[in-house]
Amino acid sequence: MKDYAIKGRLAVATPQANPTVEAEVRRILPNDVDYCTLRLLSESGDPKTRLIEYLTSLPETIKSQFSGLSVLNLLFGCTASSYLTDEKTEKNVLRLASEALDGAQVITATEAIKQYFNKNNIKKIGILTPYPAWLQQHAEKYWADHGVEVIATERVEIGSDDTYKIYELSTNDARPGLVRLTKEDCDAVLISGTGMPSLRLISELGSTGKKIVSSNYAMTLIGLSYLGLSPKNQKDWFN
């Protein structure tokens, strides 16, 4: 651990086919913080069931994949799992997951976003997602139920009701919708979902004066803050 994780080692839990979480977390973390990946698994062909199982099976996934590996906290990189799972169930699962990690904190993407909103006094948001319509509805309801006013939405079309198609998207697919949302009367724009690339958009459009936060960015930022650490400077994300 001292050779490659001088200031700490995190765990990053990512959906089984998601290629984006690791790539973005790697760019945000300072060089002296390392991470190990946990793949969230489900054999279900139904996307809703699969997304829920990513969360509800987390304690057993930790036990089978990490086998006692020591980490300082775990970043749970599937925003939609929280949108679809009731809070009582989620709270119990996260407690068991923390126990499986010898007490390490488990930070969901949604919890990180909520903390980011609170720290920055964000009450009104625009939401950009790559979700199918059925999941978009759950996302909007989740934030409304948590006291955040959703004043505008943009959805990147993936041509499918299955979320696997999200992983084929690029920054260029998301840019037009984000540009439109930055012109809305909101405190911030949320790029919801860990599978669609977000960091170039945050870097390029963050100078518009509108706060832009994504699931991956919030999750990593808050995870580092628990360790008293700061993220890598944005200008170094792609150097």
Side-chain angles (χ1 to χ4, degrees):
M1 183 170 181
K2 291 182 179 179
D3 288 339
Y4 299 111
I6 297 169
K7 291 189 176 179
R9 177 186 294 127
L10 311 181
V12 175
T14 179
Q16 54 199 11
N18 186 320
T20 309
V21 173
E22 293 154 292
E24 297 206 325
V25 169
R26 182 184 306 116
R27 284 164 172 78
I28 300 168
L29 289 179
N31 293 336
D32 45 12
V33 177
D34 205 355
Y35 71 88
C36 295
T37 301
L38 182 85
R39 284 282 163 185
L40 303 170
L41 304 175
S42 171
E43 296 182 357
S44 177
D46 174 66
K48 182 176 181 179
T49 300
R50 185 170 65 238
L51 291 165
I52 292 172
E53 287 182 351
Y54 286 160
L55 178 61
T56 56
S57 64
L58 180 61
E60 293 306 313
T61 304
I62 290 170
K63 293 174 185 177
S64 65
Q65 292 188 30
F66 275 9
S67 301
L69 175 69
S70 177
V71 297
L72 296 176
N73 58 41
L74 181 143
L75 310 180
F76 182 81
C78 187
T79 325
S81 296
S82 296
Y83 292 158
L84 298 170
T85 307
D86 68 89
E87 289 193 30
K88 182 178 179 181
T89 298
E90 180 178 85
K91 184 177 180 180
N92 186 55
V93 168
L94 297 182
R95 177 182 60 80
L96 294 173
S98 177
E99 290 176 1
L101 291 168
D102 292 328
Q105 181 81 30
V106 179
I107 305 159
T108 63
T110 50
E111 176 59 28
I113 293 165
K114 283 185 282 188
Q115 290 190 33
Y116 179 91
F117 285 171
N118 288 336
K119 288 183 178 182
N120 291 279
N121 196 33
I122 292 168
K123 306 295 184 184
K124 300 188 299 181
I125 63 170
I127 298 182
L128 174 69
T129 83
Y131 297 151
W134 66 268
L135 184 52
Q136 176 81 14
Q137 294 173 359
H138 283 279
E140 293 177 23
K141 183 178 185 301
Y142 181 92
W143 292 113
D145 288 348
H146 284 82
V148 180
E149 184 180 359
V150 179
I151 68 165
T153 62
E154 290 281 346
R155 190 163 64 88
V156 180
E157 182 58 55
I158 59 173
S160 173
D161 282 337
D162 197 322
T163 54
Y164 277 146
K165 289 290 186 179
I166 292 171
Y167 306 140
E168 299 175 8
L169 296 175
S170 71
T171 295
N172 289 336
D173 296 310
R175 185 179 286 107
L178 182 60
V179 169
R180 288 190 290 271
L181 287 174
T182 61
K183 299 175 183 177
E184 296 287 345
D185 181 24
C186 55
D187 301 322
V189 177
L190 169 63
I191 304 173
S192 181
T194 61
M196 183 171 67
S198 66
L199 295 191
R200 288 193 187 277
L201 296 171
I202 293 172
S203 180
E204 291 173 10
L205 298 174
S207 60
T208 61
K210 188 81 66 180
K211 288 188 178 299
I212 303 172
V213 63
S214 69
S215 297
N216 286 332
Y217 181 57
M219 181 175 69
T220 311
L221 188 69
I222 298 301
L224 284 170
S225 74
Y226 283 15
L227 308 180
L229 301 174
S230 299
K232 191 180 294 181
N233 193 298
Q234 289 189 17
K235 67 180 179 61
D236 297 322
W237 283 353
F238 296 97
N239 290 341

